């Protein structure tokens, strides 16, 4: 009996101990949660103390928005940005400039007419402790504004938020049906920074340096080269820059990568950054190149331009067709660090700016912009699917379209997204299995486009894609059949829409820009077109299939030859052997171009003279050679080559670029392939 009682007592003791442990753990959880809530409240309280409320001050001539970190001053009613006060600097913008030449929007329309988009009215959209949003507007008036102002209605927005060291800017532009037709060549925001402070420019991890001053581009300090934008610094204020080239087009970046660039004021250890978290509102798709920052010091946010496209961009706005588009928001971000003589603060400022960019991208679309023309996340949709490639001459089974670019843009022909600018575009890249998801798409009707690295041509889904707010649409598995007529007999290059894999010469040592020392940016050095004549002083390029190497023996641009003060047409030869030829067979020459500027490529088979077998006729306005691009607009030509024109044994294809009035009439090849008859 006693043994039983002992066992019962032991069991009771265990139960009691278990309950005590449970109660103790519960208490710990309770007090931990209570403590966390108190800590969170304290952090919020401390944050509130550190981040003053946003305040708006109005006078007859200006409005001032102050959040305790930055003070933003805007002129009334023009909407020109007069100043940004930050971290002890009274104004990071150049105060020597006129009011309309510090921070402003501008537009170029019709025959190079120019307008800084001064507005006539200012409206307070939001005024709270958390943010202030202002709207500066101008309604186009046919009687008052014809031939003076661009025929668009303008709404320029400024937002200053609590705790954010910067200002958000966006604009809504509209055209009524009765507005006269017009061409819009350029739309952008421009910032002219304090010239005595901002000397260090940063575009990427590798493109950073002390820049020339504005005065260095004046005639007494430089030599103008082949065109006004390019100068050789002969007597710069900073003697270390003597002998270098400066050209704003050397700092161009593709839209998909053009998300962060700016300037650093060295003595103040302050950074001024242009942050663009989305490119949905830009023209020409993800590969459109455009300006960033350049000597001034100037920082740009480019929305519309014909750079690297020329007249091919769809920039004509018809009378009778209404149009509306929101550009932005973009963030003008300022940061600061502790000064040190070793300039370590530069790395800190750049690293912090990249961190801020990541934060802005994650926050896109913003929830705080008030315009109904800028939909928030809950008013957007999502489109997903999987892209595969079918090419029986490469693989019997379907291939995953890995790292392909897939996008939604205005309905049009395959590849039309390259020149489309009136609507919005949304792009992503596929994963290794070809899956894609395009998020935060505005409501609307689109076509789905794609191109796949390693394959020629453009993909377009054969039906429209309608996107609705809050809806997720899965398109399933999509199949791309790239252009192909038969098996590959030989090929030159890589189908990647650029000429980057071809031979890019070292620049003339006289014309070097040291910011471009990274191998991947060598193509942006000045004067590379002239190196063709140096590389081939007596004869034109000859490529021997099976013996030549395209990375060494195929010049990146098919340019005219320099002969003294003149230029002349050039003919490149592709020599190859065929063991046997089907005289009745159909062969195909696939010729993909990465760029063209006032050029014409004539193709001849086994004879250098006489009428060409094929001609592109005059094509292109992208000026990629002069503007240091490695591509412009993509073009593909599938050229029928009858078997009777080929021989068993040695053959030669002659490619003549006939236009040669100046050295910039040129093409860049992306990829060339000869296909045999279908099997």
């Amino acid at each position: 009996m006693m043994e039983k009682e002992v066992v019962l007592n032991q069991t009771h003791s265990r139960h009691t101990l278990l309950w005590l442990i449970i109660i103790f753990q519960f208490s710990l959880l309770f007090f931990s949660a209570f403590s966390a809530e108190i800590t969170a409240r304290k952090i919020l309280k401390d944050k509130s103390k550190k981040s003053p409320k946003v305040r708006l001050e109005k006078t007859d001539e200006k409005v001032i928005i102050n959040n305790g970190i930055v003070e933003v001053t805007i002129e009334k009613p023009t909407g020109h940005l007069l100043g940004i006060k930050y971290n002890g600097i009274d104004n990071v913008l150049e105060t020597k400039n006129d009011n309309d030449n510090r921070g402003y929007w501008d537009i170029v329309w019709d025959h190079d007419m120019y307008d800084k988009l001064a507005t006539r009215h200012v409206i307070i959209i939001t005024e709270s402790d958390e943010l202030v949003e202002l709207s500066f507007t101008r309604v186009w008036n046919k009687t008052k504004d014809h031939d003076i102002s661009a025929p668009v209605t303008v709404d320029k927005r400024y937002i200053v938020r609590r705790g954010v060291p910067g200002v958000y800017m966006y604009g809504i532009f509209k055209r009524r049906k009765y507005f006269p037709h017009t061409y819009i060549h350029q739309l952008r925001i421009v910032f002219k920074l304090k010239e005595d402070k901002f000397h260090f420019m940063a575009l990427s991890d590798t493109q950073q340096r002390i820049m020339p001053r504005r005065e260095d581009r004046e005639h007494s300090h430089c030599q103008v080269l082949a065109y006004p934008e390019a100068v050789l610094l002969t007597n710069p204020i900073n003697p270390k820059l003597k002998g270098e080239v400066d050209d704003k087009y050397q700092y161009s970046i593709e839209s998909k990568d053009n998300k962060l660039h700016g300037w650093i004021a060295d003595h103040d250890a302050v950074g001024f950054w242009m942050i663009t978290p989305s490119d949905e509102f830009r023209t020409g798709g993800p590969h459109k190149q455009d300006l960033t920052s350049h000597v001034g010091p100037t920082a740009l946010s480019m929305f519309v331009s014909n750079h690297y496209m020329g007249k091919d961009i769809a920039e004509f706005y018809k009378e009778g067709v209404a149009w509306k588009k929101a550009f932005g928001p973009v963030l003008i971000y300022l940061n600061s660090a502790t000064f040190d003589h070793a300039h370590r603060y530069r790395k800190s400022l750049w690293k912090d700016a990249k961190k801020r960019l990541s934060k802005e991208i994650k926050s896109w679309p913003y929830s705080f912009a008030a315009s109904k023309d800028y939909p928030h996340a809950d008013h957007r949709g999502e489109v997903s699917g999987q892209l595969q490639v079918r090419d029986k001459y490469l693989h019997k089974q379907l291939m995953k379209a890995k790292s392909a670019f897939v996008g939604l843009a205005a309905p049009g022909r395959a590849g039309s997204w390259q020149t489309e600018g009136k609507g919005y575009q949304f792009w992503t890249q596929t994963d290794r299995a070809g899956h894609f998801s395009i998020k935060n798409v505005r409501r609307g009707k689109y076509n789905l486009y794609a191109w796949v690295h390693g394959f020629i041509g453009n993909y377009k889904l054969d039906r429209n894609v309608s996107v609705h707010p809050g809806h997720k649409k899965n398109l399933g598995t999509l199949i791309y059949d790239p252009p192909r007529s038969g098996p590959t007999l030989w090929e030159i290059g890589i189908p990647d829409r650029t000429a980057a894999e071809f031979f890019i010469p070292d620049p003339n040592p006289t014309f070097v820009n040291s910011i471009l020392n990274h191998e991947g940016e060598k193509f942006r050095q000045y004067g590379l077109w002239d190196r063709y004549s140096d590389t081939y002083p007596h004869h034109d390029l000859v490529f021997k299939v099976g013996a030549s190497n395209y990375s060494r023996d195929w010049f990146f641009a098919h340019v005219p030859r320099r002969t003294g003060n003149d230029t002349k047409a050039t003919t490149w030869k592709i020599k190859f052997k065929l063991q046997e030829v089907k005289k009745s067979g159909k062969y195909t020459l696939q010729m993909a171009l990465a760029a063209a500027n006032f050029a014409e490529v004539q193709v001849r088979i086994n004879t250098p003279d006489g009428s060409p077998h094929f001609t592109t006729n005059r094509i292109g306005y992208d000026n990629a050679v002069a503007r240091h691009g490695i591509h412009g607009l993509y073009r593909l030509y599938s050229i029928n080559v009858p078997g009777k024109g080929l021989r068993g044994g040695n053959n030669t294809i002659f490619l003549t670029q006939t236009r040669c009035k100046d050295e910039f009439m040129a093409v860049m090849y992306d990829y060339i392939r000869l296909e045999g008859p279908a099997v």
Side-chain angles (χ1 to χ4, degrees):
M1 190 72 179
M2 292 212 28
E3 289 179 3
K4 186 176 181 182
E5 187 174 334
V6 168
V7 171
L8 287 173
N9 286 337
Q10 288 177 343
T11 303
H12 178 73
S13 298
R14 290 194 193 99
H15 287 168
T16 303
L17 181 61
L18 182 61
W19 276 107
L20 286 172
I21 291 171
I22 292 172
I23 292 170
F24 178 72
Q25 289 177 335
F26 178 80
S27 301
L28 282 177
L29 288 171
F30 175 79
F31 285 114
S32 176
F34 180 75
S35 176
E37 184 175 347
I38 295 297
T39 302
R41 288 180 180 177
K42 184 176 184 299
I43 290 172
L44 288 172
K45 187 176 180 181
D46 291 343
K47 188 177 180 181
S48 177
K49 286 181 180 179
K50 292 178 182 178
S51 302
K53 300 173 182 178
V54 185
R55 289 293 176 255
L56 175 64
E57 178 185 345
K58 294 160 281 185
T59 71
D60 291 339
E61 297 179 344
K62 57 190 177 184
V63 291
I64 302 169
I65 316 173
N66 192 331
N67 68 359
I69 307 172
V70 294
E71 182 179 279
V72 179
T73 303
I74 309 163
E75 185 178 57
K76 288 173 56 180
T78 64
H80 298 318
L81 186 57
L82 300 181
I84 302 175
K85 183 177 181 180
Y86 174 75
N87 200 51
I89 303 178
D90 287 338
N91 197 344
V92 299
L93 305 181
E94 183 50 74
T95 54
K96 294 177 184 177
N97 292 357
D98 292 338
N99 287 358
D100 66 350
N101 196 31
R102 300 180 187 180
Y104 57 90
W105 290 73
D106 68 11
I107 190 170
V108 178
W109 87 101
D110 285 358
H111 302 292
D112 293 328
M113 299 186 73
Y114 182 72
D115 181 4
K116 284 193 174 178
L117 298 173
T119 48
R120 301 187 178 115
H121 306 281
V122 56
I123 304 168
I124 300 172
I125 301 297
T126 306
E127 183 179 6
S128 71
D129 293 344
E130 297 303 316
L131 69 82
V132 167
E133 179 170 350
L134 302 180
S135 168
F136 292 81
T137 61
R138 183 185 78 192
V139 177
W140 189 81
N141 183 291
K142 187 174 183 178
T143 303
K144 188 186 301 184
D145 297 323
H146 187 67
D147 287 338
I148 298 173
S149 301
V152 291
T153 290
V154 180
D155 181 357
K156 300 185 296 189
R157 299 291 183 102
Y158 292 88
I159 300 174
V160 175
R161 299 175 64 204
R162 189 174 190 172
V164 177
V167 53
Y168 295 88
M169 297 175 65
Y170 68 112
I172 301 98
F173 291 76
K174 302 177 185 179
R175 281 178 48 83
R176 305 293 185 187
K177 286 186 177 182
Y178 62 85
F179 285 11
H181 67 260
T182 188
Y183 287 88
I184 297 178
H185 304 298
Q186 178 175 279
L187 178 65
R188 63 183 185 171
I189 305 176
V190 183
F191 298 94
K192 304 288 183 68
L193 305 185
K194 202 82 169 171
E195 293 182 21
D196 62 352
K197 289 187 177 292
F198 291 90
H199 302 148
F200 188 87
M201 185 179 78
L203 308 177
S204 68
D205 289 339
T206 58
Q207 289 178 282
Q208 301 183 11
R209 76 156 190 185
I210 291 285
M211 291 294 287
R213 307 285 184 90
R214 179 184 55 81
E215 297 93 329
D216 291 336
R217 294 185 56 87
E218 296 174 356
H219 290 297
S220 59
H221 292 273
C222 71
Q223 173 191 340
V224 177
L225 298 175
Y227 43 85
E229 292 87 350
V231 300
L232 179 66
L233 304 177
T234 55
N235 184 29
I237 295 171
N238 183 348
K240 293 181 179 179
L241 299 177
K242 184 176 181 179
E244 292 217 7
V245 168
D246 178 69
D247 181 347
K248 65 181 180 180
Y249 290 105
Q250 292 181 312
Y251 316 126
S252 295
I253 297 177
E254 283 192 354
S255 186
K256 64 182 175 61
D257 303 316
N258 188 357
K259 298 184 182 301
L260 173 67
H261 59 88
W263 293 83
I264 291 173
D266 274 332
H267 294 298
D268 303 275
V270 164
F272 180 101
W273 308 103
M274 175 61 65
I275 290 180
T276 308
S278 171
D279 53 7
E280 66 182 48
F281 40 79
R282 286 176 171 156
T283 59
H287 310 295
K288 165 80 165 66
Q289 299 166 94
D290 225 321
L291 301 174
T292 55
S293 290
H294 60 77
V295 168
T298 300
L300 302 174
S301 179
M302 302 295 299
F303 298 120
V304 176
S305 87
N306 55 18
H307 297 144
Y308 303 92
M309 295 181 153
K311 298 177 182 178
D312 286 316
I313 186 175
E315 57 189 9
F316 179 63
Y317 295 76
K318 295 180 181 179
E319 184 175 356
V321 179
W323 170 80
K324 179 169 60 175
K325 187 173 180 179
F327 296 92
V330 297
L331 171 62
I332 294 80
Y333 176 69
L334 293 104
N335 59 2
S336 60
T338 302
F339 177 83
D340 67 275
H341 291 285
H343 304 303
R344 285 186 290 268
Y345 59 84
R346 290 175 182 167
K347 186 175 181 180
S348 298
L349 292 171
W350 175 249
K351 183 177 180 181
D352 175 72
K354 288 178 28 176
K355 185 177 179 181
R356 186 73 202 196
L357 169 63
S358 297
K359 182 176 182 179
E360 298 300 318
I361 291 173
K362 290 176 183 177
S363 300
W364 187 273
Y366 297 136
S367 60
F368 52 82
S371 172
K372 61 181 176 56
D373 295 310
Y374 176 76
H376 298 171
D378 58 346
H379 283 79
R380 297 181 178 231
E382 182 179 333
V383 176
S384 61
Q386 183 186 30
L387 183 63
Q388 298 189 346
V389 181
R390 179 166 50 204
D391 186 338
K392 69 176 184 178
Y393 293 102
L394 289 183
H395 204 284
K396 292 182 180 180
Q397 297 178 336
L398 292 174
M399 294 168 281
K400 312 296 185 186
K402 60 182 180 180
S403 300
F405 283 87
V406 182
L408 295 166
R413 57 178 175 76
S416 61
W417 53 269
Q418 288 187 110
T419 55
E420 208 289 311
K422 296 186 179 76
Y424 301 93
Q425 297 197 28
F426 303 87
W427 288 84
T428 190
Q429 279 189 272
T430 60
D431 63 16
R432 294 182 63 83
H435 293 106
F436 63 89
S437 178
I438 307 173
K439 297 180 171 62
N440 296 315
V441 182
R442 287 168 170 259
R443 176 203 296 268
K445 183 172 70 174
Y446 301 89
N447 279 161
L448 184 122
Y449 303 96
W451 75 270
V452 186
H453 187 279
F455 297 90
I456 60 175
N458 292 288
Y459 172 80
K460 174 193 165 186
L461 184 62
D462 59 1
R463 63 183 185 274
N464 292 334
V465 177
S466 294
V467 177
H468 302 284
H471 288 196
K472 295 183 178 182
K473 177 171 290 189
N474 190 317
L475 300 175
T477 300
L478 310 176
I479 309 297
Y480 174 44
D481 294 290
R484 168 76 78 169
S485 298
T488 298
L489 300 181
W490 51 259
E491 58 187 348
I492 301 172
I494 302 170
D496 61 358
R497 296 178 176 240
T498 82
E501 70 270 27
F502 298 128
F503 175 66
I504 299 174
D506 292 329
N508 185 323
T510 307
F511 303 119
V512 172
N513 186 332
S514 61
I515 200 173
L516 304 170
N517 281 342
H518 190 265
E519 184 67 23
E521 293 140 5
K522 186 166 75 169
F523 65 86
R524 293 206 183 275
Q525 293 283 6
Y526 175 84
L528 298 187
W529 58 85
D530 227 15
R531 303 296 276 169
Y532 176 79
S533 299
D534 297 334
T535 306
Y536 299 95
H538 305 299
H539 59 80
D540 285 325
L541 181 152
V542 178
F543 188 91
K544 297 179 180 179
V545 174
S548 299
N549 184 322
Y550 62 74
S551 64
R552 182 184 63 240
D553 302 315
W554 189 272
F555 202 77
F556 80 102
H558 193 163
V559 294
R561 172 186 297 284
R562 169 178 36 83
T563 55
N565 294 325
D566 297 325
T567 53
K568 68 176 186 179
T570 49
T571 298
W572 292 8
K573 300 175 186 177
I574 304 174
K575 292 182 173 290
F576 60 98
K577 290 183 178 181
L578 296 176
Q579 290 193 356
E580 60 177 353
V581 173
K582 294 182 179 180
K583 293 296 183 179
S584 61
K586 175 186 173 184
Y587 294 74
T588 303
L589 182 69
Q590 303 284 8
M591 184 173 72
L593 301 183
N597 186 60
F598 290 94
E600 178 182 1
V601 178
Q602 294 182 354
V603 179
R604 292 176 174 84
I605 311 293
N606 285 326
T607 177
D609 304 312
S611 299
H613 176 76
F614 171 84
T615 178
T616 61
N617 295 312
R618 201 212 62 73
I619 52 171
Y621 305 93
D622 55 37
N623 209 16
V625 170
R627 287 176 171 166
H628 320 292
I630 200 62
H631 70 85
L633 294 180
Y634 176 81
R635 293 173 172 85
L636 175 65
Y637 299 92
S638 297
I639 304 166
N640 178 31
V641 180
K644 62 183 180 181
L646 297 171
R647 309 167 183 153
N650 295 325
N651 291 267
T652 303
I653 291 177
F654 299 87
L655 303 176
T656 303
Q657 203 296 96
T658 64
R659 309 282 171 143
C660 56
K661 287 184 178 180
D662 67 48
E663 53 203 332
F664 305 123
M665 292 181 170
V667 298
M668 295 181 191
Y669 298 98
D670 166 43
Y671 175 76
I672 299 176
R673 179 173 76 211
L674 182 65
E675 298 170 355
V679 293

